Amino acid sequence: MTSQQQQLHDEILEKVREYYQLVHAPAQNAPFEPGVTYLNYGGRVFDEREMVNLVDSALEFWLTSGRYTREFERRLAEYLGIQSALLVNSGSSANLLAFMTLTAPELGERRIARGDEVITVAAGFPTTVSPLFQYGAVPVFVDVEPETANIDVSRLEEARSDRTRAVMLAHTLGNPFELNAVRAFCDKYRLWLIEDNCDALGSRFAGRLTGTWGDIGTSSFYPPHHMTTGEGGALYTDNPQLYRIARSLRDWGRDCRCNSGEDGVCGRRFTGKFGKLPAGYDHKYVYSRFGYNLKVSDMQAAVGCAQLEKLPEFGEERRRNFRFLFEALSDLPELELCRSYPESDPSWFGFLITLAPGVKFTRTDLTRHLEEHRIQTRNLFAGNLTCHPCFEPLTEGKEYRIVGELTATDRIMNDAFWIGLYPGMTEEKLAYMAETIRNFCKRK
């Protein structure tokens, strides 16, 4: 870059900083007006650093995965304390990639084949289990604990069969499931463990970050999550073989591991013999598996690099906000609040509330009241996934199994909801939400 080009580049980025201070900073710091300001359950929290990175990447105009992507993957792996991370275009894609990695033929007798079973829960987000149905594996649904909204680990042995190959579970709203028990169960029977860490980045169990206990972990970087790249997600693993398979699947299924824009780095471009292809076939167009294109743009990765710097602070703010709401609402007999295990240190995604048995109002009564007072609410995702229309063409016992009764799952479906506690919340906003809930319960 010439001195003139560098000067113009620097001037543009300085104007971006000024623009943030003029336009976005006032909006993010606008005064809160109770009953007027809409309190979203989540959202992006950013400053000029994200915008400067974004524009810097745009000026470079590389567009597809590039230097910011490589930096993000390296720094995310360092944060997690694991070997490898792959940036993808969504958390749902990360779950698809994680599951399909375990179907690779080179995994031998441990590969997941069509008809094999994967233990999971129905109280969650559908794309944790969508890849199983799409591939032809059989989800085995186990009930959750009402106190934690996580899997009831006492049902794991009952759920296992000779066809069980893996456990795939999410940490509900950032609250870690009982990882000691699940990890021991998987080790006992040589099962794969996929941690859907999309709602829990930064949570810890027994001092160790969630997402690093399993063979593969996944994250989502959609704006309401712990950090954002806009759209985006990640897969991470300490297993070099799984990383190589996942990277190939993410990048069209190609055999070559050269980065975008690189030719011949692998040293095999015109020298190899692959399958029934002619000798010397261009290695960049050799496909060792049926894959996808799940990459992101470097502009998204640029935003993520700035967000990573703030991730520990974001987690502490989420913890602090959870404690505020818990202390403000824990004495209400009409409500049951989500609890975590003693070994857990959750970086909470949301504040889960379940109606106590016998209350004189419904969840909809309360959530409608909150929405009328400009407080956004959300159900716990699917509630009971098996009750949704997508299950109507499926046959229980064939395409999926249910272990026992999903009693607590059904209760979550009928009586639970959650409100936000993301870093954009202030104590003033949290106090207004708590007061609105308390006033409703008092009147009822």
Side-chain angles (χ1 to χ4, degrees), residues 119-142:
I119 297 172
T120 188
V121 297
F125 202 74
T127 55
T128 304
V129 298
S130 293
L132 282 63
F133 286 111
Q134 292 158 359
Y135 176 73
V138 178
V140 178
F141 294 108
V142 176

PDB file of all heavy atoms in Angstrom, residues 119-142:
ATOM      1  N   ILE A 119     -28.680 -40.173  21.531  1.00  0.00           N
ATOM      2  CA  ILE A 119     -29.464 -39.738  22.688  1.00  0.00           C
ATOM      3  C   ILE A 119     -29.476 -38.212  22.761  1.00  0.00           C
ATOM      4  O   ILE A 119     -28.438 -37.557  22.640  1.00  0.00           O
ATOM      5  CB  ILE A 119     -28.894 -40.339  23.984  1.00  0.00           C
ATOM      6  CG1 ILE A 119     -28.991 -41.868  23.944  1.00  0.00           C
ATOM      7  CG2 ILE A 119     -29.622 -39.788  25.209  1.00  0.00           C
ATOM      8  CD1 ILE A 119     -28.274 -42.560  25.087  1.00  0.00           C
ATOM      9  N   THR A 120     -30.662 -37.643  22.996  1.00  0.00           N
ATOM     10  CA  THR A 120     -30.815 -36.194  23.042  1.00  0.00           C
ATOM     11  C   THR A 120     -32.062 -35.863  23.867  1.00  0.00           C
ATOM     12  O   THR A 120     -32.606 -36.723  24.564  1.00  0.00           O
ATOM     13  CB  THR A 120     -30.895 -35.613  21.622  1.00  0.00           C
ATOM     14  OG1 THR A 120     -30.859 -34.187  21.672  1.00  0.00           O
ATOM     15  CG2 THR A 120     -32.126 -36.087  20.875  1.00  0.00           C
ATOM     16  N   VAL A 121     -32.505 -34.597  23.801  1.00  0.00           N
ATOM     17  CA  VAL A 121     -33.735 -34.190  24.483  1.00  0.00           C
ATOM     18  C   VAL A 121     -34.644 -33.477  23.494  1.00  0.00           C
ATOM     19  O   VAL A 121     -34.192 -32.958  22.462  1.00  0.00           O
ATOM     20  CB  VAL A 121     -33.453 -33.270  25.693  1.00  0.00           C
ATOM     21  CG1 VAL A 121     -32.644 -34.001  26.749  1.00  0.00           C
ATOM     22  CG2 VAL A 121     -32.751 -31.989  25.267  1.00  0.00           C
ATOM     23  N   ALA A 122     -35.938 -33.449  23.831  1.00  0.00           N
ATOM     24  CA  ALA A 122     -36.923 -32.767  22.984  1.00  0.00           C
ATOM     25  C   ALA A 122     -37.152 -31.331  23.419  1.00  0.00           C
ATOM     26  O   ALA A 122     -37.777 -30.559  22.693  1.00  0.00           O
ATOM     27  CB  ALA A 122     -38.255 -33.522  23.003  1.00  0.00           C
ATOM     28  N   ALA A 123     -36.663 -30.964  24.610  1.00  0.00           N
ATOM     29  CA  ALA A 123     -36.845 -29.605  25.138  1.00  0.00           C
ATOM     30  C   ALA A 123     -35.676 -28.738  24.689  1.00  0.00           C
ATOM     31  O   ALA A 123     -34.711 -28.546  25.424  1.00  0.00           O
ATOM     32  CB  ALA A 123     -36.938 -29.632  26.663  1.00  0.00           C
ATOM     33  N   GLY A 124     -35.751 -28.249  23.471  1.00  0.00           N
ATOM     34  CA  GLY A 124     -34.643 -27.469  22.956  1.00  0.00           C
ATOM     35  C   GLY A 124     -34.936 -26.891  21.601  1.00  0.00           C
ATOM     36  O   GLY A 124     -36.090 -26.747  21.188  1.00  0.00           O
ATOM     37  N   PHE A 125     -33.857 -26.582  20.880  1.00  0.00           N
ATOM     38  CA  PHE A 125     -33.967 -25.969  19.563  1.00  0.00           C
ATOM     39  C   PHE A 125     -33.891 -27.059  18.498  1.00  0.00           C
ATOM     40  O   PHE A 125     -33.095 -27.996  18.616  1.00  0.00           O
ATOM     41  CB  PHE A 125     -32.830 -24.956  19.374  1.00  0.00           C
ATOM     42  CG  PHE A 125     -33.119 -23.920  18.325  1.00  0.00           C
ATOM     43  CD1 PHE A 125     -34.021 -22.898  18.581  1.00  0.00           C
ATOM     44  CD2 PHE A 125     -32.495 -23.966  17.081  1.00  0.00           C
ATOM     45  CE1 PHE A 125     -34.294 -21.935  17.618  1.00  0.00           C
ATOM     46  CE2 PHE A 125     -32.775 -23.011  16.118  1.00  0.00           C
ATOM     47  CZ  PHE A 125     -33.666 -21.998  16.388  1.00  0.00           C
ATOM     48  N   PRO A 126     -34.709 -26.971  17.445  1.00  0.00           N
ATOM     49  CA  PRO A 126     -34.808 -28.102  16.504  1.00  0.00           C
ATOM     50  C   PRO A 126     -33.518 -28.454  15.781  1.00  0.00           C
ATOM     51  O   PRO A 126     -33.294 -29.624  15.465  1.00  0.00           O
ATOM     52  CB  PRO A 126     -35.894 -27.645  15.514  1.00  0.00           C
ATOM     53  CG  PRO A 126     -36.026 -26.172  15.699  1.00  0.00           C
ATOM     54  CD  PRO A 126     -35.677 -25.899  17.127  1.00  0.00           C
ATOM     55  N   THR A 127     -32.661 -27.469  15.500  1.00  0.00           N
ATOM     56  CA  THR A 127     -31.484 -27.801  14.691  1.00  0.00           C
ATOM     57  C   THR A 127     -30.400 -28.520  15.472  1.00  0.00           C
ATOM     58  O   THR A 127     -29.359 -28.855  14.903  1.00  0.00           O
ATOM     59  CB  THR A 127     -30.902 -26.553  14.011  1.00  0.00           C
ATOM     60  OG1 THR A 127     -30.627 -25.549  14.993  1.00  0.00           O
ATOM     61  CG2 THR A 127     -31.875 -26.007  12.980  1.00  0.00           C
ATOM     62  N   THR A 128     -30.633 -28.782  16.764  1.00  0.00           N
ATOM     63  CA  THR A 128     -29.754 -29.717  17.462  1.00  0.00           C
ATOM     64  C   THR A 128     -29.947 -31.126  16.920  1.00  0.00           C
ATOM     65  O   THR A 128     -28.994 -31.914  16.867  1.00  0.00           O
ATOM     66  CB  THR A 128     -30.018 -29.694  18.978  1.00  0.00           C
ATOM     67  OG1 THR A 128     -29.877 -28.356  19.462  1.00  0.00           O
ATOM     68  CG2 THR A 128     -29.042 -30.597  19.727  1.00  0.00           C
ATOM     69  N   VAL A 129     -31.183 -31.453  16.524  1.00  0.00           N
ATOM     70  CA  VAL A 129     -31.477 -32.824  16.085  1.00  0.00           C
ATOM     71  C   VAL A 129     -31.861 -32.925  14.614  1.00  0.00           C
ATOM     72  O   VAL A 129     -31.934 -34.033  14.075  1.00  0.00           O
ATOM     73  CB  VAL A 129     -32.590 -33.445  16.955  1.00  0.00           C
ATOM     74  CG1 VAL A 129     -32.147 -33.531  18.405  1.00  0.00           C
ATOM     75  CG2 VAL A 129     -33.881 -32.666  16.850  1.00  0.00           C
ATOM     76  N   SER A 130     -32.087 -31.809  13.942  1.00  0.00           N
ATOM     77  CA  SER A 130     -32.458 -31.869  12.516  1.00  0.00           C
ATOM     78  C   SER A 130     -31.480 -32.692  11.672  1.00  0.00           C
ATOM     79  O   SER A 130     -31.904 -33.470  10.812  1.00  0.00           O
ATOM     80  CB  SER A 130     -32.572 -30.455  11.940  1.00  0.00           C
ATOM     81  OG  SER A 130     -33.654 -29.765  12.509  1.00  0.00           O
ATOM     82  N   PRO A 131     -30.150 -32.552  11.877  1.00  0.00           N
ATOM     83  CA  PRO A 131     -29.229 -33.348  11.049  1.00  0.00           C
ATOM     84  C   PRO A 131     -29.430 -34.843  11.193  1.00  0.00           C
ATOM     85  O   PRO A 131     -29.189 -35.598  10.240  1.00  0.00           O
ATOM     86  CB  PRO A 131     -27.848 -32.920  11.564  1.00  0.00           C
ATOM     87  CG  PRO A 131     -28.055 -31.581  12.166  1.00  0.00           C
ATOM     88  CD  PRO A 131     -29.421 -31.632  12.767  1.00  0.00           C
ATOM     89  N   LEU A 132     -29.882 -35.286  12.368  1.00  0.00           N
ATOM     90  CA  LEU A 132     -30.091 -36.721  12.568  1.00  0.00           C
ATOM     91  C   LEU A 132     -31.198 -37.229  11.652  1.00  0.00           C
ATOM     92  O   LEU A 132     -31.038 -38.255  10.971  1.00  0.00           O
ATOM     93  CB  LEU A 132     -30.464 -37.000  14.029  1.00  0.00           C
ATOM     94  CG  LEU A 132     -29.361 -37.005  15.079  1.00  0.00           C
ATOM     95  CD1 LEU A 132     -28.682 -35.657  15.216  1.00  0.00           C
ATOM     96  CD2 LEU A 132     -29.925 -37.435  16.433  1.00  0.00           C
ATOM     97  N   PHE A 133     -32.319 -36.510  11.637  1.00  0.00           N
ATOM     98  CA  PHE A 133     -33.426 -36.911  10.785  1.00  0.00           C
ATOM     99  C   PHE A 133     -33.033 -36.852   9.313  1.00  0.00           C
ATOM    100  O   PHE A 133     -33.379 -37.736   8.517  1.00  0.00           O
ATOM    101  CB  PHE A 133     -34.632 -36.007  11.030  1.00  0.00           C
ATOM    102  CG  PHE A 133     -35.348 -36.272  12.317  1.00  0.00           C
ATOM    103  CD1 PHE A 133     -35.320 -35.357  13.350  1.00  0.00           C
ATOM    104  CD2 PHE A 133     -36.050 -37.449  12.499  1.00  0.00           C
ATOM    105  CE1 PHE A 133     -35.990 -35.597  14.533  1.00  0.00           C
ATOM    106  CE2 PHE A 133     -36.728 -37.709  13.687  1.00  0.00           C
ATOM    107  CZ  PHE A 133     -36.688 -36.774  14.712  1.00  0.00           C
ATOM    108  N   GLN A 134     -32.331 -35.805   8.925  1.00  0.00           N
ATOM    109  CA  GLN A 134     -31.975 -35.625   7.521  1.00  0.00           C
ATOM    110  C   GLN A 134     -31.024 -36.711   7.032  1.00  0.00           C
ATOM    111  O   GLN A 134     -31.058 -37.088   5.859  1.00  0.00           O
ATOM    112  CB  GLN A 134     -31.372 -34.232   7.333  1.00  0.00           C
ATOM    113  CG  GLN A 134     -32.408 -33.123   7.535  1.00  0.00           C
ATOM    114  CD  GLN A 134     -31.807 -31.789   7.880  1.00  0.00           C
ATOM    115  OE1 GLN A 134     -30.597 -31.642   8.007  1.00  0.00           O
ATOM    116  NE2 GLN A 134     -32.654 -30.775   8.044  1.00  0.00           N
ATOM    117  N   TYR A 135     -30.209 -37.228   7.924  1.00  0.00           N
ATOM    118  CA  TYR A 135     -29.262 -38.285   7.548  1.00  0.00           C
ATOM    119  C   TYR A 135     -29.894 -39.667   7.621  1.00  0.00           C
ATOM    120  O   TYR A 135     -29.511 -40.576   6.871  1.00  0.00           O
ATOM    121  CB  TYR A 135     -28.039 -38.211   8.469  1.00  0.00           C
ATOM    122  CG  TYR A 135     -27.031 -39.299   8.240  1.00  0.00           C
ATOM    123  CD1 TYR A 135     -26.216 -39.302   7.106  1.00  0.00           C
ATOM    124  CD2 TYR A 135     -26.884 -40.335   9.161  1.00  0.00           C
ATOM    125  CE1 TYR A 135     -25.282 -40.313   6.900  1.00  0.00           C
ATOM    126  CE2 TYR A 135     -25.945 -41.340   8.970  1.00  0.00           C
ATOM    127  CZ  TYR A 135     -25.147 -41.325   7.838  1.00  0.00           C
ATOM    128  OH  TYR A 135     -24.219 -42.314   7.635  1.00  0.00           O
ATOM    129  N   GLY A 136     -30.853 -39.829   8.519  1.00  0.00           N
ATOM    130  CA  GLY A 136     -31.463 -41.148   8.695  1.00  0.00           C
ATOM    131  C   GLY A 136     -31.047 -41.830   9.983  1.00  0.00           C
ATOM    132  O   GLY A 136     -31.254 -43.039  10.141  1.00  0.00           O
ATOM    133  N   ALA A 137     -30.452 -41.073  10.906  1.00  0.00           N
ATOM    134  CA  ALA A 137     -30.202 -41.600  12.250  1.00  0.00           C
ATOM    135  C   ALA A 137     -31.483 -41.467  13.078  1.00  0.00           C
ATOM    136  O   ALA A 137     -32.443 -40.815  12.665  1.00  0.00           O
ATOM    137  CB  ALA A 137     -29.043 -40.857  12.902  1.00  0.00           C
ATOM    138  N   VAL A 138     -31.488 -42.066  14.255  1.00  0.00           N
ATOM    139  CA  VAL A 138     -32.690 -42.133  15.091  1.00  0.00           C
ATOM    140  C   VAL A 138     -32.444 -41.368  16.392  1.00  0.00           C
ATOM    141  O   VAL A 138     -31.679 -41.829  17.250  1.00  0.00           O
ATOM    142  CB  VAL A 138     -33.073 -43.589  15.400  1.00  0.00           C
ATOM    143  CG1 VAL A 138     -34.297 -43.647  16.312  1.00  0.00           C
ATOM    144  CG2 VAL A 138     -33.316 -44.361  14.104  1.00  0.00           C
ATOM    145  N   PRO A 139     -33.067 -40.200  16.580  1.00  0.00           N
ATOM    146  CA  PRO A 139     -32.964 -39.515  17.866  1.00  0.00           C
ATOM    147  C   PRO A 139     -33.717 -40.286  18.947  1.00  0.00           C
ATOM    148  O   PRO A 139     -34.813 -40.794  18.711  1.00  0.00           O
ATOM    149  CB  PRO A 139     -33.620 -38.153  17.612  1.00  0.00           C
ATOM    150  CG  PRO A 139     -33.737 -38.034  16.126  1.00  0.00           C
ATOM    151  CD  PRO A 139     -33.850 -39.429  15.598  1.00  0.00           C
ATOM    152  N   VAL A 140     -33.122 -40.349  20.120  1.00  0.00           N
ATOM    153  CA  VAL A 140     -33.749 -40.980  21.277  1.00  0.00           C
ATOM    154  C   VAL A 140     -33.956 -39.882  22.316  1.00  0.00           C
ATOM    155  O   VAL A 140     -33.000 -39.350  22.877  1.00  0.00           O
ATOM    156  CB  VAL A 140     -32.874 -42.111  21.844  1.00  0.00           C
ATOM    157  CG1 VAL A 140     -33.533 -42.732  23.077  1.00  0.00           C
ATOM    158  CG2 VAL A 140     -32.639 -43.174  20.773  1.00  0.00           C
ATOM    159  N   PHE A 141     -35.216 -39.538  22.558  1.00  0.00           N
ATOM    160  CA  PHE A 141     -35.537 -38.386  23.398  1.00  0.00           C
ATOM    161  C   PHE A 141     -35.711 -38.807  24.854  1.00  0.00           C
ATOM    162  O   PHE A 141     -36.488 -39.708  25.177  1.00  0.00           O
ATOM    163  CB  PHE A 141     -36.809 -37.700  22.896  1.00  0.00           C
ATOM    164  CG  PHE A 141     -36.647 -37.075  21.547  1.00  0.00           C
ATOM    165  CD1 PHE A 141     -37.255 -37.637  20.429  1.00  0.00           C
ATOM    166  CD2 PHE A 141     -35.883 -35.929  21.381  1.00  0.00           C
ATOM    167  CE1 PHE A 141     -37.116 -37.059  19.177  1.00  0.00           C
ATOM    168  CE2 PHE A 141     -35.730 -35.346  20.134  1.00  0.00           C
ATOM    169  CZ  PHE A 141     -36.348 -35.910  19.029  1.00  0.00           C
ATOM    170  N   VAL A 142     -34.979 -38.096  25.723  1.00  0.00           N
ATOM    171  CA  VAL A 142     -35.003 -38.336  27.161  1.00  0.00           C
ATOM    172  C   VAL A 142     -35.576 -37.093  27.837  1.00  0.00           C
ATOM    173  O   VAL A 142     -35.380 -35.970  27.365  1.00  0.00           O
ATOM    174  CB  VAL A 142     -33.571 -38.631  27.674  1.00  0.00           C
ATOM    175  CG1 VAL A 142     -33.553 -38.798  29.184  1.00  0.00           C
ATOM    176  CG2 VAL A 142     -33.018 -39.870  26.991  1.00  0.00           C
TER     177      VAL A 142
END
